[in-house]
Amino acid sequence: MGTPSSNNVYFGFDVFGSLNGAQLTFNTWKATHNRDNGSPAGINGDPLFIDTVTYRLQSGSPARTVGADILT
């Protein structure tokens, strides 16, 4: 099991904190804070929802591969 930040889709975030006064990108934040390095790792991208009522995903959604099946 990964960290609490694992297996997520971040969308609409450009800055993930700061380090020594510099803004951190998603990849820099992951590397600097040793977060979400396992597979499947989280991504920063559009999840491509079909709608936001049922949160169904389009077939080409990058979010289809980041979830973790905790029931198996």
Side-chain angles (χ1 to χ4, degrees):
M1 197 58 126
T3 65
S5 61
S6 297
N7 309 96
N8 292 304
V9 177
Y10 299 94
F11 179 58
F13 293 96
D14 294 325
V15 178
F16 286 80
S18 63
L19 180 64
N20 300 325
Q23 293 181 339
L24 299 176
T25 65
F26 179 64
N27 289 333
T28 304
W29 171 78
K30 285 179 19 172
T32 305
H33 292 84
N34 194 28
R35 300 247 199 261
D36 202 13
N37 294 319
S39 179
I43 60 169
N44 184 13
D46 187 346
L48 302 175
F49 290 120
I50 291 173
D51 64 67
T52 55
V53 175
T54 62
Y55 295 101
R56 293 184 310 146
L57 299 169
Q58 295 178 30
S59 61
S61 170
R64 289 185 174 272
T65 60
V66 297
D69 185 356
I70 60 171
L71 300 176
T72 59

